[in-house]
Amino acid sequence: MEDSTRVSVETDEEFESGRFHEDSGEVSVGDTTFRFSVDAPSDDAAADEEGPNPNDNRTEGPGDDADMSESADPRRIGPLSAIPSKSTIRCEAVKGRRGVEVILQRNGDDVLAWRNSCPHEPQVRLDPGGGALVYGDKIVCREHGARFECDDGFCTSGPCRGQELDPIGVEVRDTGVYLSDDRFEAGNLLE
């Protein structure tokens, strides 16, 4: 399956969510397990739909050799210039065939990243697409109004006050942003 599928399972006490790049899998929370299977398109339909992936950070073309260029590094999320400072942009951090949605925000020459999830209700995404709400130096949950410091993800007000966003390690090298978090193998922008 070329596109990823977001799967979430919630019980009264727990929540688990992930992105899957395979045709089948499962997500478990406590005693609850959600198993799924997605029918793959026929070979003819798949051939008709094939084309370049605009989110693919790897480059390929005439004259390329087997050496990995910096832009072909699977841990490269994208160019620093694509990361906003007054909003966020989404990316996916991947390990194996599972992915986690992440939000990125530029802070001067640095980039900060967190799991795209409110600690109060983890199934609520801070950035549903098009950027999270940012007022001053705070990321604001659209659902609950919780406010998180842009520098460390600490919640200063709202139903999850005192909690923090789940940080994802990233680093800036030259003009690119790369995953530095050992929990993941690859990353790519979603927008």
Side-chain angles (χ1 to χ4, degrees):
M1 185 162 77
E2 191 167 310
D3 293 329
S4 64
T5 300
R6 183 180 173 92
V7 177
S8 301
V9 175
E10 180 179 8
T11 66
D12 289 337
E13 293 101 28
E14 298 179 73
F15 175 83
E16 180 66 35
S17 180
R19 287 189 172 271
F20 291 82
H21 293 269
E22 62 260 359
D23 295 332
S24 63
E26 67 180 49
V27 176
S28 297
V29 173
D31 294 334
T32 304
T33 300
F34 175 77
R35 291 181 181 86
F36 67 94
S37 177
V38 178
D39 292 333
S42 68
D43 289 341
D44 292 339
D48 291 342
E49 294 178 10
E50 284 183 11
N53 179 352
N55 293 325
D56 191 350
N57 295 316
R58 297 170 225 22
T59 58
E60 183 177 299
D64 287 347
D65 55 21
D67 294 333
M68 276 184 71
S69 71
E70 194 169 280
S71 63
D73 184 340
R75 296 182 68 82
R76 185 176 192 273
I77 296 169
L80 178 60
S81 61
I83 312 302
S85 60
K86 304 226 184 280
S87 185
T88 62
I89 192 166
R90 298 177 309 139
C91 80
E92 183 178 34
V94 179
K95 179 163 187 161
R97 297 182 141 207
R98 290 190 76 166
V100 170
E101 199 169 287
V102 176
I103 57 173
L104 301 150
Q105 184 180 45
R106 190 170 178 169
N107 186 354
D109 292 333
D110 291 327
V111 172
L112 302 167
W114 303 276
R115 184 181 297 260
N116 190 11
S117 176
C118 180
H120 175 236
E121 289 186 14
Q123 75 276 13
V124 173
R125 297 185 308 169
L126 296 170
D127 181 347
L133 293 175
V134 177
Y135 292 114
D137 61 349
K138 307 252 190 317
I139 296 173
V140 180
C141 176
R142 297 170 192 260
E143 193 83 19
H144 315 107
R147 294 176 183 263
F148 303 92
E149 295 284 345
C150 289
D151 60 354
D152 61 6
F154 184 79
C155 183
T156 59
S157 66
C160 48
R161 183 180 182 143
Q163 296 181 29
E164 295 179 352
L165 298 176
D166 181 17
I168 306 294
V170 295
E171 64 184 4
V172 176
R173 284 191 260 148
D174 298 321
T175 60
V177 180
Y178 295 80
L179 279 169
S180 60
D181 197 310
D182 291 336
R183 295 177 290 178
F184 306 103
E185 301 165 345
N188 63 296
L189 291 176
L190 293 175
E191 300 175 303

